[in-house]
Amino acid sequence: MKTLKYSHSAKGKLASCCIAFLASLSISCSLYSQSESKRPVREEDYSLWGLLTEPALSPNGDWLAFLMQYDDNPDTLIVRHTSNNRTWKIPNAIYGKFSGRQQYAAINDKNVLQLLDLSTGTKQSFNDVHSFSISSNSNHLITLEGTEGKTSICIRDKNGRMMERLEGLTHYKLNEQGTAMLCLGNADGKGQIALVHLGKQITKKIIAEGITQSFSQPVWSSSGKSLAFIIED
């Protein structure tokens, strides 16, 4: 399960939003039970119950996202405005993340990534996505995608427009600033390590090529300007 970190203020607002949501749910259930007090719970009602997991707030605190897990119905990722209760739903989602203040990205169990515009509810879909990341400055959406035997790292801008496709590279490590990443893989039949700078233009610099040895997971410095990894003999 993904571990989410928040500041104290974010934690407080997240807790308040969750409590408010649960309270409204409790009130609704209470009113419903009062109006239908003679009606017993039936077996078909069980499918309506679910487990709320992985709550998260948007950077500005305007949106709350959480995953509802059901036994007999598709798991659904719900994104709800904290003030007006406007709600967007993404069925069959398994993981999601806010991209800036007005977008939300989620991947489903069919390896389809959806980029949701929170202001309009419109969605863009990208197929054959195995995993994704969003740069810390929310300017770039990075995906590992492709069919079996032909995988690429794809870099898109925050609106989903393709900027660069790095064929044959299968692993990457972003720096904390979201301005660069180290990419590893087998490009053109050769083991390759490349440094990719993320900006309005994408630039790629090959650090090592023709590598047959294994290498360790790269580690970025806190400044995001240098990194280290070990190539094993």
Side-chain angles (χ1 to χ4, degrees):
M1 182 175 293
K2 186 173 180 62
T3 301
L4 303 175
K5 296 182 179 180
Y6 301 95
S7 64
H8 291 295
S9 58
K11 283 183 178 179
K13 187 161 187 178
L14 176 59
S16 299
C17 291
C18 291
I19 291 171
F21 171 75
L22 294 173
S24 64
L25 182 62
S26 175
I27 292 172
S28 299
C29 292
S30 175
L31 293 174
Y32 178 81
S33 64
Q34 290 174 17
S35 62
E36 300 286 342
S37 57
K38 296 181 180 181
R39 177 184 176 281
V41 176
R42 296 176 298 193
E43 184 175 350
E44 55 264 33
D45 295 328
Y46 298 161
S47 62
L48 303 177
W49 298 350
L51 177 66
L52 187 156
T53 64
E54 300 189 24
L57 273 177
S58 63
N60 59 357
D62 285 346
W63 294 88
L64 170 68
F66 53 91
L67 181 65
M68 289 299 300
Q69 296 178 330
Y70 303 99
D71 289 333
D72 300 319
N73 289 313
D75 293 347
T76 301
L77 219 161
I78 298 174
V79 187
R80 177 169 296 171
H81 198 280
T82 55
S83 297
N84 58 30
N85 284 333
R86 173 183 279 187
T87 301
W88 308 119
K89 296 181 179 181
I90 306 175
N92 300 302
I94 57 176
Y95 169 69
K97 187 176 182 180
F98 284 102
S99 178
R101 297 183 175 186
Q102 290 298 324
Q103 289 183 313
Y104 190 86
I107 192 168
N108 68 17
D109 56 4
K110 303 296 184 183
N111 291 333
V112 176
L113 176 67
Q114 293 185 323
L115 186 61
L116 169 67
D117 186 322
L118 297 175
S119 60
T120 63
T122 57
K123 300 174 185 175
Q124 296 182 67
S125 296
F126 309 103
N127 296 324
D128 300 318
V129 175
H130 305 289
S131 62
F132 75 95
S133 299
I134 297 169
S135 62
S136 57
N137 53 22
S138 299
N139 287 335
H140 297 91
L141 172 65
I142 299 101
T143 59
L144 180 64
E145 59 186 80
T147 56
E148 186 176 353
K150 190 177 181 181
T151 307
S152 304
I153 295 173
C154 296
I155 305 170
R156 295 178 171 86
D157 66 13
K158 60 184 178 181
N159 297 314
R161 181 181 64 87
M162 179 71 77
M163 300 180 69
E164 190 78 22
R165 181 185 294 272
L166 305 172
E167 300 283 357
L169 298 179
T170 55
H171 298 81
Y172 62 89
K173 179 74 171 182
L174 279 160
N175 66 1
E176 292 184 6
Q177 291 75 16
T179 56
M181 63 182 187
L182 189 72
C183 300
L184 317 169
N186 194 333
D188 300 323
K190 301 176 182 178
Q192 188 179 104
I193 302 176
L195 180 63
V196 177
H197 290 279
L198 305 174
K200 293 182 178 180
Q201 301 293 327
I202 305 298
T203 60
K204 172 186 171 185
K205 180 181 179 181
I206 297 176
I207 297 177
E209 196 171 29
I211 300 172
T212 59
Q213 306 98 319
S214 60
F215 35 81
S216 66
Q217 180 76 7
V219 178
W220 281 96
S221 66
S222 58
S223 66
K225 295 181 179 180
S226 60
L227 55 89
F229 57 92
I230 298 172
I231 298 178
E232 300 176 359
D233 294 330

